[in-house]
Amino acid sequence: MAAQHGEHTATQLRLHGRGGQGTVTAAELLAVAAFEDGLYAQAFPSFGSERMGAPVEAYCRIGSSPIRTREPVARPDVVIVQDPTLLGQVNLFGGLASTGFVIVNASCPVQELELDGLSELVPLTHIVSVPATRIALKHIGRPTPNSALLGALSALTGLISTAGVIHALEHRFAPAVAHANARAVMEAFDVVVAERGEAISAAAN
Amino acid sequence: MLQQIEGSRAVAEAVALCRPNVVCAYPISPQTHIIEAIGAMVKAGELDAEFVNVDSEMAAMSVLIGASAVGARAYTATASQGLLYMMEAVYNVAGLGLPAVMTLANRALGAPINIWNDHSDAMSVRDAGWVQLFAETNQEAIDLHILAFSLAEELSVPVMVCVDGFILTHAIERVDVPEQAQVDRLLAPFEPRHVLDPSDPVSIGAMVGPDAFTEVRYLASIKLLRALEVLPPLAQRHSDELGRSVPSLVSPYRLDDADVVVVAMGSVLGTIKDVIDEMRDGGHAIGALGVSCFRPFPKEQIRDALATATRVVVVEKAFSLGYGGILATDIALAVAGRGIPIHTVIAGLGGRPVWAASLRTCFDSALDATLSETTFLDLNEEVVAREIGRMAATRRSGPSAENVLRDLAERSRA
Amino acid sequence: MSAERVPVRFYQVGSFAVGNRLVSADRRNAQSDPQRANSLTSGHRACAGCGEALGARYALDAATRVTNGQLVAVNATGCLEVFSTPYPETSWQLPWLHSLFANSPSVATGVAAGLRSLGKSEVRVIAQGGDGGTADIGMGALSGMFERNDDVLYICYDNEAYMNTGVQRSSATPGAARTATTDVVGEHPGNVFGTGKFVPAIAMAHEIPYVATASVADLFDLETKVERAMSMRGARYLHILVPCPLGWGSASSDTIRLSRLAEETGLFPVFEAENGELTGSRTIRHRVPVEDYLRLQRRFSHLFTRDGAVKDEATVARIQAIADRNIRRYRLSEDDS
């Protein structure tokens, strides 16, 4: 019975950013990536008449069966923070599951981030920071961290494959732009794998 | 073809597949993506249609009237305030017996101005003589638009497809977009029942006086009621062609042996079904009934579907001020004489999230027979009480909307 | 004997006569033809002497002739719509659609788009309404149709008030005119000055392909303008002055006389414009003081004594000033020709 619908089996993600940074696009790419991987997905923004720079949220659910619910994501399994200036400003981690994952777009290590006791909520190995904006500027030439963050998500959780993300990028963007984004995806993926490897061995010691 | 796309895009694709001759619209949130997508298709040569950038919603519906009157298949989309602005024309097109299809991206009516979803806009035109279909998912949104053109032209009646604004229009989900060949098999070229043709001139739109008005209106209602007969076999035909169930009048969910039945329309049914499943897992005899065709009202089908229910909870996204639930009142009429308690739960007004947990609480109360007759889901009673107090204390208490907003802001800062 | 030359002016009465026996058959107007279309045929319920019934028949017959009947008409709510289609009868012999009061320009846009989409662009579209439906409630729709340059000829029949509903003031009602909503009592009787719209000027401001004014007194001129309009594509506007005996308080036999006087005083300028530029004006050959026009209408009776002498000189002077301004602005004087 429980497996007939998506609610109990679906992974719930919440993405936080500021208007104009591509947070909604990130959720959309995520949903398409999951689709490419043969999964069901639902993505939608928290709507408003936000102007550039105002905090925005977008939601995504990914699962192996159809997703019916329409509630916003109040109990995320994954929180992605596209803009580190939101830390301490907005309630980013409300409802986060104790087994949840957090990805923060930041160029400093996790320990230096103002995470408000987050490490008491979830294991340290579940939190990564990735310099997504820097990676984006390097490969794409624009400060749009969303594709890099999806690469990080893939590495951290395995929820979606990098191939899925890249297919999603190819659907959305012209070939040159898609390939540039794909390079950002792969670099972020590698960064997180490395960071996680360190974190796991640090936790083990 | 399976795609993961935004609801607006899905609707645009469905409309384009129906080969409209004239498309026009005036921009309003949250319908803009639909019209922009169609406009892009016309510009790219993918859709051969006249695309008219009109100056108002009144103009949009009027363009539809003119186009339909000369035998062109015509389409527009609007929401909320835009629907009110074209209200005269909405009644006019139905009264003139012209087929037209419109997407209503459901959005709350102001004042106060609100761009988010609820069903107050659809409710405001329920007596206008249009067929009103409600989509639960973006797949249904696609399938219902194709059905809408079919039905409109068959009956010579305008049809609106209600698609929850933002919740569906801006959600990216998996849909199966039909092939052109499939839609062409379902939708023949438009053959009007009456048309402006210089070779056989007619006058359309005469004044009708007391001696004939009643009969003309009675006939219009008969025509609308025919949709109740025509829609099920038509939906079946569409289902057969598309290989999936296209909704017609009502959509039952786990109704067998259900004591309590939850009735609702639109996307909220998705959340409701999750709650139903959870409660069924707990052994409760509860089910749901989706109303897909709201007008004409499928009274008999609803009565039959609720045959074994002992209690009904109507969850609706609108209400009649100073009166109560709108859908609930219609449902009560459908089951009149059976003595079943009907509960109204007014939820999701102005885009407020409808939480599964809150619905669960209501449904549990229904099972316990402790649910009130009317519930405003997640109402902030303290804020309301404070404003009532303000109004009682002084004559110049200020505008309520602004007071409530300030109250909430102050509380959240504290 | 003096050799001084005196200018002689000829007024050809024949040009005012519908039959035009002085003109060769191929140059006679549509109304003189026994085989005329009668797009608006007899049996309608208009008042005796209704200028609008005349104007509509003239205009649509001319349009029908020049399009070989490939024509669809859209009508706004108003006198014309009401008196022409008393259910269950219609006096229209062409395809005709009435929707609402405010939307005839938009409906016509839809008809034109629909016809084009069906490959039937040879069928032409005319929208028509009164001054209320055109200048007031329909102004937004009209402006939209103009700015899109939709392929519609819009004809406004201007009787200077909401006549169908009982003679209420519209934005086309002239200063000092009495209507049911501009009383003839008070310091300044009748409609106030300094308000109102002149829609032909608004149409010119949109720079549409063709704008013209005409009256039922000059049949040749009116038909020529309709035909010229129908020879073009895009948004076109024709504004026809149509006296209303009931609303103006004039004799039903004075309709054509009043139309002519309106022209000859300069109060109703007759001209043509293309793409926002004045291209021609109908010269006033025989200038008439405004009181000769006003005196024949009870809506202006408060300006006169019972024997017809001017009582309110100040107001009449204001009206005269408007006429003078029109003559200057639209180059109606012989000196401009």
Side-chain angles (χ1 to χ4, degrees), chain A residues 5 39 41 43 47 68 70-71, chain B residues 116 172-174 253 277 356:
Chain A
H5 54 86
L39 299 166
F47 316 95
R68 294 181 307 197
R70 300 287 174 184
E71 307 172 288
Chain B
W116 295 270
I172 291 115
E173 58 192 54
R174 175 188 292 217
Y253 185 73
D277 280 357

Side-chain angles (χ1 to χ4, degrees), chain A residues 31 49 95 155 171 196:
Chain A
S49 32
H171 277 305
R196 242 198 128 204

Side-chain angles (χ1 to χ4, degrees), chain C residues 121-282:
Chain C
S121 304
E122 75 282 1
V123 180
R124 309 300 302 280
V125 186
I126 286 183
Q128 45 187 14
D131 51 284
T134 306
D136 295 341
I137 201 170
M139 173 63 30
L142 187 66
S143 177
M145 186 273 275
F146 284 165
E147 75 82 12
R148 285 188 300 271
N149 199 27
D150 292 329
D151 191 14
V152 172
L153 167 61
Y154 189 96
I155 303 177
C156 172
Y157 304 104
D158 184 7
N159 50 29
E160 300 185 338
Y162 288 92
M163 298 309 189
N164 180 41
T165 44
V167 194
Q168 292 86 15
R169 181 249 183 220
S170 80
S171 65
T173 303
R178 169 175 47 190
T179 67
T181 46
T182 49
D183 285 342
V184 75
V185 292
E187 203 191 314
H188 301 287
N191 193 34
V192 295
F193 286 85
T195 62
K197 306 179 198 179
F198 187 50
V199 182
I202 295 174
M204 282 174 67
H206 285 71
E207 300 189 349
I208 56 176
Y210 185 69
V211 175
T213 64
S215 86
V216 293
D218 269 322
L219 182 51
F220 252 131
D221 180 67
L222 195 158
E223 288 192 0
T224 304
K225 284 168 175 170
V226 171
E227 287 168 18
R228 182 166 300 142
M230 296 310 288
S231 73
M232 304 176 188
R233 293 274 180 174
R236 294 144 286 138
Y237 181 74
L238 181 58
H239 190 107
I240 307 177
L241 182 71
V242 293
C244 168
L246 181 73
W248 293 19
S250 55
S252 56
S253 53
D254 269 353
T255 296
I256 294 181
R257 176 179 301 129
L258 280 171
S259 306
R260 189 167 306 124
L261 286 169
E263 285 187 39
E264 289 173 344
T265 54
L267 279 175
F268 186 72
V270 179
F271 61 89
E272 285 175 299
E274 292 181 30
N275 304 305
E277 308 276 352
L278 202 64
T279 51
S281 320
R282 193 152 175 82

Side-chain angles (χ1 to χ4, degrees), chain B residues 58-316:
Chain B
M58 173 57 146
M61 186 53 65
S62 301
V63 167
L64 251 63
I65 289 170
S68 192
V70 291
R73 178 173 289 161
Y75 167 83
T76 190
T78 194
S80 177
Q81 312 303 129
L83 180 68
L84 289 193
Y85 198 70
M86 59 158 73
M87 182 75 93
E88 249 207 301
V90 169
Y91 272 76
N92 194 255
V93 66
L96 291 176
L98 293 169
V101 171
M102 174 164 73
T103 306
L104 186 64
N106 298 115
R107 167 183 150 178
L109 289 177
I113 184 168
N114 173 298
I115 60 169
W116 295 270
N117 164 258
D118 75 26
H119 289 169
S120 51
D121 55 2
M123 293 302 139
S124 73
V125 288
R126 67 193 192 274
D127 299 330
W130 282 61
V131 174
Q132 289 184 301
L133 305 174
F134 278 80
E136 184 185 322
T137 60
N138 282 323
Q139 185 65 64
E140 287 197 0
I142 289 175
D143 297 340
L144 286 177
H145 277 87
I146 302 167
L147 195 64
F149 280 102
S150 244
L151 185 67
E153 290 172 13
E154 171 60 33
L155 297 179
S156 234
V157 160
V159 179
M160 68 177 76
V161 182
C162 295
V163 181
D164 284 326
F166 287 132
I167 296 176
L168 288 181
T169 58
H170 286 58
I172 291 115
E173 58 192 54
R174 175 188 292 217
V175 290
D176 187 358
V177 180
E179 302 302 317
Q180 182 67 70
Q182 290 178 296
V183 179
D184 288 344
R185 283 193 287 274
L186 291 173
L187 195 56
F190 175 29
E191 241 196 272
R193 285 188 182 272
H194 51 182
V195 67
L196 296 173
D197 179 357
S199 64
D200 185 12
V202 289
S203 294
I204 300 177
M207 175 180 284
V208 174
D211 50 327
F213 193 79
T214 304
E215 285 67 31
V216 171
R217 295 305 284 154
Y218 183 78
L219 286 164
S221 187
I222 296 284
K223 201 165 62 158
L224 190 64
L225 283 169
R226 273 207 72 223
L228 295 177
E229 297 160 26
V230 169
L231 202 44
L234 190 62
Q236 186 57 58
R237 205 177 133 236
H238 282 233
S239 301
D240 293 341
E241 175 66 54
L242 298 172
R244 58 175 167 270
S245 183
V246 172
S248 71
L249 300 176
V250 296
S251 304
Y253 185 73
R254 306 188 80 166
L255 279 192
D256 298 341
D257 79 322
D259 283 331
V260 172
V261 178
V262 180
V263 183
M265 301 194 294
S267 63
V268 74
L269 281 162
T271 312
I272 287 172
K273 284 176 181 174
D274 277 359
V275 177
I276 298 290
D277 280 357
E278 196 180 272
M279 292 176 77
R280 278 280 183 183
D281 287 350
H284 299 293
I286 186 167
L289 181 68
V291 177
S292 310
C293 177
F294 176 61
R295 285 294 184 270
F297 188 63
K299 200 164 80 160
E300 293 313 313
Q301 289 77 5
I302 288 172
R303 192 179 176 85
D304 292 343
L306 297 176
T308 55
T310 57
R311 190 174 295 271
V312 172
V313 179
V314 179
V315 176
E316 56 183 298

Side-chain angles (χ1 to χ4, degrees), chain C residues 94-107:
Chain C
L94 79 176
W96 181 90
L97 175 64
H98 162 239
S99 172
L100 295 163
F101 198 8
N103 72 354
S104 59
S106 313
V107 176

